[in-house]
Amino acid sequence: MDNKELKDVDEGLYSRQLYVYGAEAQRKMQQTNVLLVGLKGLGVEIAKNIILSGVRSVGILDPETVKISDLGSQFYLTPTDVGKPRAECAISQLKELNKYVNVHHVPVKAGCRLPYLDER
């Protein structure tokens, strides 16, 4: 791989991926936008890995509030977050993972139903 091939790819940050996938695949990942729905224990782990991979942006959609039970599985939450919106509580830590990725909260409009998120 020459430097011309790696234009706009941070070799230090993405060295493992460049070794496995190559520069062209990394550039394609950097053009990808991802919407992640749900930020419980598994969701936050997926968000972390997607952000570290170097995609263009990650939108986080989770209309639920933090519950005590979330504290055991979602590592970015604290007891002071209980009752607050889950996505909003974790977003600042997720943003710190990769300065090249636009991580943002996707708000849900009032009255919008998301039946696939209903746990009942």
Side-chain angles (χ1 to χ4, degrees), residues 14 17 26 29-32 49-56 98 100-101:
Y14 302 119
Q17 289 168 222
Q26 184 62 40
M29 285 181 62
Q30 289 175 311
Q31 297 172 5
T32 303
N49 291 328
I50 290 171
I51 293 165
L52 290 173
S53 75
V55 297
R56 175 184 281 171
N98 190 335
Y100 299 110
V101 178

Side-chain angles (χ1 to χ4, degrees), residues 33-100:
N33 299 306
V34 176
L35 172 64
L36 181 65
V37 180
L39 207 57
K40 284 188 154 188
L42 180 59
V44 76
E45 183 66 23
I46 291 169
K48 176 189 71 125
N49 291 328
I50 290 171
I51 293 165
L52 290 173
S53 75
V55 297
R56 175 184 281 171
S57 70
V58 176
I60 308 289
L61 189 151
D62 189 337
E64 298 296 319
T65 58
V66 176
K67 297 172 184 60
I68 296 270
S69 60
D70 293 328
L71 300 179
S73 63
Q74 216 273 33
F75 44 85
Y76 288 134
L77 300 176
T78 66
T80 59
D81 294 326
V82 173
K84 298 176 185 173
R86 194 171 15 216
E88 290 178 21
C89 292
I91 204 89
S92 64
Q93 292 96 328
L94 290 169
K95 285 180 178 183
E96 292 176 10
L97 293 172
N98 190 335
K99 66 182 180 181
Y100 299 110

